[in-house]
Amino acid sequence: MERPDQTGASGVTVLVVDDNAENRALAKAALEDEGVRAVLAATGEAGIAAFGETRPACILLDIRMPGLDGITVCERIRAMAGGDRVAIIFVTAQRDVETFDRALAAGGDDFMPKPFRPSELVVRVQTAMRLRQIVAERSELATQLKRQRDELQRLQLHKEQLSAFV
């Protein structure tokens, strides 16, 4: 659970990982206009550290960066505790099918080419977070259904045993 000092007015934190200061500033301005707290990281390593500290609801992740690239960062975050619950959107200037496939295979939820319109960025963030929430709720419901099914099977076995006894 996020502490109040880590969130914007909407209670949402988005991590922006991009080596380009202008891209980070543009994303931050667009998000903060919507009351979303933006945490910025200039490298993949810093992004992983910021994820561990802030537990954002969404990550905007550049692919081509010095040091760890965005694909590797995504894979590492997905392997961390809570990494499966965060929405990850790749925002990149690379527009080829191979990069798109690699980004999605690494665990990305969306792929957005640069340059981007701030309004589109906000909508993509909202949509990715909503989809992650739906997936989590669906998983919880599936777990509940399995428990109920197992309990019904136990009850059926008890009923059969009682019938056989009588």
Side-chain angles (χ1 to χ4, degrees):
M1 187 168 162
E2 293 179 356
R3 295 187 304 260
D5 62 322
Q6 290 184 315
T7 60
S10 66
V12 174
T13 298
V14 173
L15 173 59
V16 180
V17 184
D18 196 313
D19 60 326
N20 183 294
E22 291 175 5
N23 290 336
R24 289 192 309 271
L26 180 60
K28 180 178 180 172
L31 294 165
E32 289 181 347
D33 282 350
E34 297 297 319
V36 174
R37 179 176 180 255
V39 174
L40 306 179
T43 66
E45 294 86 350
I48 291 171
F51 172 77
E53 294 167 7
T54 62
R55 296 298 178 181
C58 184
I59 300 172
L60 299 176
L61 186 57
D62 188 16
I63 290 182
R64 190 180 305 166
M65 296 183 287
L68 292 179
D69 70 352
I71 302 285
T72 303
V73 172
C74 181
E75 291 169 341
R76 290 191 183 174
I77 287 174
R78 288 288 187 227
M80 294 172 70
D84 59 333
R85 291 189 298 272
V86 65
I88 298 178
I89 302 172
F90 284 99
V91 184
T92 182
Q94 295 184 268
R95 297 173 180 251
D96 58 277
V97 173
E98 180 184 340
T99 301
F100 175 80
D101 290 342
R102 287 180 51 229
L104 295 183
D109 293 295
D110 198 359
F111 185 91
M112 188 172 173
K114 292 179 188 174
F116 58 83
R117 291 190 333 254
S119 59
E120 181 182 0
L121 181 77
V122 169
V123 170
R124 296 267 191 120
V125 166
Q126 292 168 341
T127 302
M129 289 188 309
R130 195 172 308 123
L131 285 172
R132 274 283 157 182
Q133 180 182 6
I134 289 168
V135 166
E137 289 170 357
R138 186 174 140 213
S139 177
E140 185 179 317
L141 288 172
T143 301
Q144 288 176 0
L145 276 172
K146 184 182 179 320
R147 274 196 309 267
Q148 290 174 351
R149 184 203 63 199
D150 292 348
E151 184 59 29
L152 282 172
Q153 287 176 336
R154 268 189 216 93
L155 290 171
Q156 181 64 31
L157 290 172
H158 282 302
K159 177 183 168 187
E160 290 172 8
Q161 286 176 340
L162 283 172
S163 294
F165 180 73
V166 169

